[in-house]
Amino acid sequence: MRAVLRTVNRILLALVGLVLLAVGGAVLAVGLDVKPPSWWIHQGRHDVLLSAAERTRWRGEGWWWPVMIAALAVLVLLALWWLVAVLRRRRLREVLVDTGDGAGATLRGRALEHALGADAAGLEGVAHARAHLKGRRTAPEARLRLQVEPHVDPGTALRELADGPLAHARVAAALPALPAEVRLRTVGHKAERVT
């Protein structure tokens, strides 16, 4: 699905870019008094894109409005599908583990996320941890969100995370590398009363 979405994105962007480039170049050329070809919709500087006759040509036909509404509804639905597909972040379903015998094995992505999150939550000063995997099944990337106590030094927490849970996950899944993006937040606490 991700490869299909990537291909659709590239094709749509290329088509939109080509159309905008062609129309913009043609309008600019006509504006600079370059003689357009006979089939072009603009014939001079003061020519309009659509004349009144062209705009109202099919209005009287009974099929016009239902076809226009259906076509616009399909365009809106396709645009919404594309937007949701682009914005939705997918979880990595499985990670390919190299077993050394050439066959390989698969590890459920959720299982690795759960183990990584639980291991990170066990670090000193970490109140809550959540892990999320993305990327390819042969080269996963981790996103971690840690809620740390206010007294925890961020540099120390990151070092312990890299040397502990991330290293454990990398070794357990037999990965050459496990790049990670870590977001740290402090746990909210009530102000202490001073007497």
Side-chain angles (χ1 to χ4, degrees):
M1 179 67 178
R2 192 172 292 168
V4 171
L5 185 60
R6 190 178 309 129
T7 304
V8 168
N9 281 341
R10 288 180 180 166
I11 290 171
L12 283 176
L13 289 175
L15 287 176
V16 168
L18 286 174
V19 167
L20 289 176
L21 185 65
V23 171
V27 169
L28 181 64
V30 169
L32 295 173
D33 286 332
V34 174
K35 183 161 176 42
S38 61
W39 51 267
W40 187 245
I41 54 176
H42 289 292
Q43 295 302 318
R45 290 181 96 158
H46 304 290
D47 197 8
V48 294
L49 183 61
L50 290 173
S51 67
E54 290 170 330
R55 284 193 315 266
T56 59
R57 175 191 224 171
W58 305 109
R59 272 194 193 166
E61 302 294 328
W63 56 268
W64 173 252
W65 289 113
V67 168
M68 285 305 295
I69 291 171
L72 291 174
V74 167
L75 282 175
V76 167
L77 289 175
L78 285 173
L80 286 175
W81 168 80
W82 181 65
L83 181 65
V84 167
V86 168
L87 294 179
R88 188 168 72 187
R89 294 183 181 161
R90 294 192 180 273
R91 289 179 180 260
L92 190 60
R93 289 189 181 151
E94 58 187 26
V95 176
L96 191 61
V97 178
D98 183 14
T99 56
D101 60 359
T106 58
L107 173 65
R108 281 190 17 209
R110 295 251 176 160
L112 186 57
E113 287 175 352
H114 180 69
L116 184 56
D119 202 8
L123 293 174
E124 185 180 343
V126 175
H128 182 70
R130 243 186 131 153
H132 177 76
L133 291 176
K134 65 175 192 160
R136 296 186 322 257
R137 50 185 269 180
T138 55
E141 299 170 15
R143 279 190 178 175
L144 288 105
R145 292 176 188 251
L146 303 180
Q147 286 185 335
V148 296
E149 301 292 338
H151 67 278
V152 172
D153 175 45
T156 304
L158 287 174
R159 263 191 310 280
E160 289 177 359
L161 180 69
D163 295 340
L166 284 172
H168 298 159
R170 185 180 52 76
V171 170
L175 297 169
L178 181 59
E181 174 186 324
V182 181
R183 294 183 184 215
L184 298 175
R185 243 178 63 196
T186 57
V187 176
H189 66 291
K190 296 180 181 177
E192 295 178 12
R193 178 176 274 179
V194 178
T195 56

